[in-house]
Every structure is written in C-alpha cells, then in structure tokens.
Amino acid sequence: FIPDFARRAGVTVQDLALPHITIADTQTEVERYMYYMFCPSLVYRDSFPRTRRIRWAKVLAHMVNVAASVIATFVIFRAFCTPHFQQAANAPQSL
C-alpha cells in the first residue's frame, strides 16, 4: 500500500525498503511469539532497517532527552514525594 501523497510524489514499490519476512520452523516461531508476548511493541520485526552510518546528532539528541527525563523525574520526586515520606517517617506508627 502506497498512500496517495507518496504516489503523487513518485514513490513506487521498488523505492520502499520492505522487510524480508521469513517463517521458520515451529519452535522458532513459538519462541518469537513468546518474545512478542513478554516484550510487546507496536511494530514487531526480527530485524530493523538501519542506515549506513551513525547519525551522531540524533544519538546526542536522544541522550539529552534521556538525561532531561531523569532530571525531571528527580525534581518532581524531590518536590512532591520526599516531603510526604519525611512526614511518614516522623509520624507515630498506627494501624
């Protein structure tokens, strides 16, 4: 399936990087299915398309996003959760 906007731009089936799908023996297929059930993803493939070179700017951007997420999580935890934990630690225990 090629969307209309892509077809108008001149994209053909030969231009697409279609995945090579293989069906192996039953044991391998069951292993793949079990892996998918325990590690689901929206798009499951045995191999993913790769570029010929590493795009270091993209790697750096992803690393910055991960670091920012860790810092934001720390700040939110410190601001909202730590005071409650300190109050609980200092309060007398009651059931």
Side-chain angles (χ1 to χ4, degrees):
F1 173 74
I2 301 175
D4 289 336
F5 70 89
R7 188 172 289 130
R8 283 191 296 261
V11 175
T12 64
V13 174
Q14 289 77 20
D15 296 331
L16 301 176
L18 298 175
H20 179 68
I21 298 173
T22 60
I23 298 177
D25 59 306
T26 305
Q27 180 181 355
T28 305
E29 291 302 318
V30 169
E31 287 174 3
R32 289 177 181 175
Y33 178 71
M34 293 305 293
Y35 178 78
Y36 176 75
M37 291 304 290
F38 287 105
C39 305
S41 65
L42 294 176
V43 178
Y44 176 77
R45 291 184 181 177
D46 290 330
S47 63
F48 291 91
R50 296 184 55 153
T51 58
R52 295 189 186 276
R53 62 182 182 83
I54 297 174
R55 294 177 286 187
W56 290 108
K58 198 164 193 147
V59 171
L60 181 64
H62 286 300
M63 289 175 64
V64 168
N65 284 336
V66 168
S69 297
V70 168
I71 291 169
T73 302
F74 173 76
V75 169
I76 291 170
F77 186 83
R78 186 73 185 247
F80 295 108
C81 297
T82 304
H84 293 291
F85 291 151
Q86 288 175 345
Q87 289 174 2
N90 295 333
Q93 300 295 320
S94 63
L95 298 173

